[in-house]
RNA sequence: GCGCCCGUAGCUCAGCUGGAUAGAGCAACGGACUUCUAAUCCGUAGGUCGGAGGUUCGAAUCCUCCCGGGCGUGCCA
């Protein structure tokens, strides 16, 4: 049972004689802000005062008089201006705990079986190695899928892979010009990946050669402008200072770009072999694009290469997903929708939605300056077109009631236009949601990069996390009072779970809308709100069962509800009954940080319980059994909760 | 220029469909290992919620303006 829902339901009944629509007022029942006020509180008497023209406390008294809650609560108390405070009865909490003990779902209601949700997340480009930029979408999207599924929703997780874009042209070009046959024979994926990076680097090099003089010129004119403004503007004037500040920032930005451009040049020029390759083709970028265009036009050779390379590229991605324990129901990439795009644009034209503007096909949405561009001047389709085709497919074929896009917040305008276009196109019975998220920042508050300014590869990020947690595992296990407990293999497994769990948890614990600062120290810290802390609480419980040689299954069917003999037991049990609330809170607006917060609090309450309530050596057999039940329920809730976030739980650490 | 987002404790962040003295974690300080893992627990200290107005019985939360920062802005995805 979801206690919060139940209390709202009861409150709604009590409100029925007072107002026509009690729902919004019943929704004002919330978990108590402060334990001193009880467990839950109703805040609806105050806003009703104005509406009913009575004093809030009088209204509260009427509500309390109508309330039928004596089976679950102590008599509700009215406090302050008109708060109604609920304190759950100990024996009721205990009976709830007993019920949860035999509930596979741990109190989470299964209420959404008739609802189909498509979750679009991760969506990397094939052939490019995944990097930190993919982390949030991947981790967040996976957690959302798991949580929705656990709640009973029909979920289709879809990896909308970029498998039809310019990067394939680069690989094809690289294959035709720079292939190392023996390397290719030995490891196809590694060689393709090398070719991609090589062509990309050479393209960047030529772009840099071209850009440098322009940048230097730009810098000069910016500096001149700055000097001029400094001379003519009155620095005591705020507007003028601001203008100068902006110019200074622009100069700095240009200087940074020049520096990074120079380092790109140096990288190639300091390597004679690389320089020679660069000199072979001064227009490599254009030629690579040409390969892409040939592919799109159905060129036989390039199509064959695409067919040959794609499985290998996907395999490379799957390796990463396997390690992250992330799986998709489908991987319908851009290429899948390619044959439908002409028809999409025709359909939009027919309905009068799309019209020509500056040689491109555009959908203009009222209230938006920028058009939604579905076909470019050169006739090529855009990702807008693909996204529309995808929507049509998801609704017609997958019967989606709702589509979630777990994508960076910077694309919000695109989705605004996409959703509105889809609705006007006729797909207006489906809910669309851009589950947006902020940027991962480095300690310098700039987007997270390596020391040298490159994007951080996902693989190296994970390796680093696992290596660091391995050091901690070794250190702690070696210093255990009774000697080390873990063999090398176990240590490696624990390090993997702690390292990857740490990365995922650090991401999920933040409100998805916020940018957050990536910190190794905080992510893997032994203290604080981390995966490690939650995993440790779970491992301690497993230790109890191991040492006591406890049969957990028979524990669950043992007679008698848990006993509440100490405040720590009550607090722990109460939290355990609230797992369903936490899941609901996540689903409300797709915010997994609601679940991390719940799990952290649960771990915290357990740790207090652990310190204050001895379990195995408890002499009172009934109390010992009761506490073992709390341990079992806590362990299962922690394990299930972490699993819903995609995080594993070691039994020993 | 226009649009979107952000500004909460020394640091990292919750809280934001208005509700009681604004919460956590880290760092700081003080305690607790003959007891099931001290990767732990308990306690202390720390805030004019960027600023100013407004709406309200009540504002970190809603509205307006200002200051500071980020992002996006027709043919990359």
């Amino acid at each position: 049972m979801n206690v919060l829902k139940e209390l709202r339901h009861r409150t709604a009944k009590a409100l029925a004689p007072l107002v026509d629509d009690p729902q919004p007022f019943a929704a004002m029942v919330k978990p108590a802000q402060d334990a001193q006020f009880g467990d839950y509180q109703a805040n609806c008497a105050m806003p009703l005062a104005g509406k009913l023209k009575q004093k809030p406390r009088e209204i509260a008294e009427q509500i309390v008089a109508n309330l039928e809650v004596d089976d679950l609560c102590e008599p509700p108390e009215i406090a302050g201006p008109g708060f109604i405070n609920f304190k759950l009865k100990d024996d009721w909490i205990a009976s709830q705990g007993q019920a949860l003990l035999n509930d596979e779902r741990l109190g989470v209601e299964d209420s959404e079986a008739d609802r189909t949700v498509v979750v679009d997340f991760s969506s990397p480009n094939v052939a490019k190695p995944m990097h930190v930029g993919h982390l949030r979408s991947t981790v967040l999207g996976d957690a959302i899928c798991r949580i929705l599924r656990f709640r009973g929703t029909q979920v289709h997780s879809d990896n909308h892979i970029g498998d039809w874009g310019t990067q394939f042209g680069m690989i094809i070009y690289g294959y035709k010009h720079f292939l190392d046959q023996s390397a290719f024979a030995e490891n196809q994926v590694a060689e393709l990946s090398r070719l991609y990076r090589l062509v990309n680097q050479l393209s960047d090099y030529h772009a840099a050669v071209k850009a440098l003089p322009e940048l230097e010129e730009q810098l000069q004119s910016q500096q001149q402008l700055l000097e001029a403004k400094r001379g003519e503007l009155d620095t005591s004037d705020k507007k003028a200072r601001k203008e100068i500040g902006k110019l200074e920032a622009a100069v700095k930005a240009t200087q940074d770009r020049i520096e990074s451009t120079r380092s790109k040049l140096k990288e190639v020029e300091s390597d004679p072999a690389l320089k020679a390759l660069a000199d072979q083709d001064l227009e490599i970028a254009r030629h690579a694009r040409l390969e892409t265009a040939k592919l799109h036009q159905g060129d036989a050779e390039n199509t064959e290469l695409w067919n040959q390379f794609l499985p290998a590229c996907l395999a490379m991605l799957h390796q990463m997903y396997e390690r992250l324990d992330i799986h998709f129901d489908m991987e319908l990439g851009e290429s899948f929708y390619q044959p439908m795009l002409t028809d999409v644009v025709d359909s939009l034209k027919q309905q009068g939605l799309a019209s020509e503007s500056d040689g491109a096909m555009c959908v203009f949405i009222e209230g938006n300056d920028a058009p939604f561009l579905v076909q470019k001047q050169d006739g090529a389709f855009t990702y807008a077109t693909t996204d529309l085709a995808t929507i049509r497919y998801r609704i017609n074929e997958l019967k989606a009631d709702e589509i979630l896009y777990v994508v960076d917040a910077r694309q919000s305008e695109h989705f605004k236009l996409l959703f509105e276009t889809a609705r006007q196109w006729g797909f207006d019975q489906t809910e669309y949601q851009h589950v947006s998220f902020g940027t991962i920042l480095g300690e310098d508050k700039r987007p997270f990069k390596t020391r040298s300014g490159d994007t951080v590869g996902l693989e190296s990020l994970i390796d680093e996390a696992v290596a660091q947690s391995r050091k901690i595992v070794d250190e702690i296990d070696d210093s255990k009072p009774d000697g080390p407990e873990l063999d090398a293999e176990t240590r490696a497994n624990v390090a993997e779970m702690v390292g990857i769990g740490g990365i995922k948890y650090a991401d999920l614990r933040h409100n998805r809308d916020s940018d957050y600062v990536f910190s190794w120290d905080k992510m893997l810290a032994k203290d604080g709100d981390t995966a490690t802390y939650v995993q440790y609480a779970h491992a301690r419980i497993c230790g109890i069962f191991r040492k006591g040689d406890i049969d957990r299954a028979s524990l669950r069917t043992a007679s008698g509800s848990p006993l509440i003999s100490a405040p720590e037991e009550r607090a722990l049990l109460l939290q355990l009954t609230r797992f369903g609330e936490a899941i609901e809170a996540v689903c409300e607006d797709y915010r997994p940080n609601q679940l991390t917060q719940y799990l952290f609090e649960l771990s915290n309450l357990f740790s207090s319980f652990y310190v204050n309530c001895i379990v195995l050596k408890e002499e009172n057999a009934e109390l010992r059994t009761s506490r073992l039940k709390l341990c079992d329920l806590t362990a299962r809730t922690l394990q299930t909760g972490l699993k819903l976030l995609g995080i594993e739980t070691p039994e020993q650490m």
Side-chain angles (χ1 to χ4, degrees), chain A residues 452-469:
Chain A
S452 53
D454 297 323
T455 53
V456 178
L458 203 46
E459 181 144 34
S460 61
L461 186 85
I462 294 171
D463 287 342
E464 176 71 17
V466 171
Q468 287 196 23
S469 44

Side-chain angles (χ1 to χ4, degrees), chain A residues 468-487:
Chain A
Q468 287 196 23
S469 44
R470 177 58 191 264
K471 271 168 87 174
I472 299 170
V473 171
D474 286 342
E475 194 183 303
I476 289 175
D477 198 44
D478 286 339
S479 65
K480 277 182 184 159
D482 301 328
E485 294 173 2
L486 310 177
D487 60 36

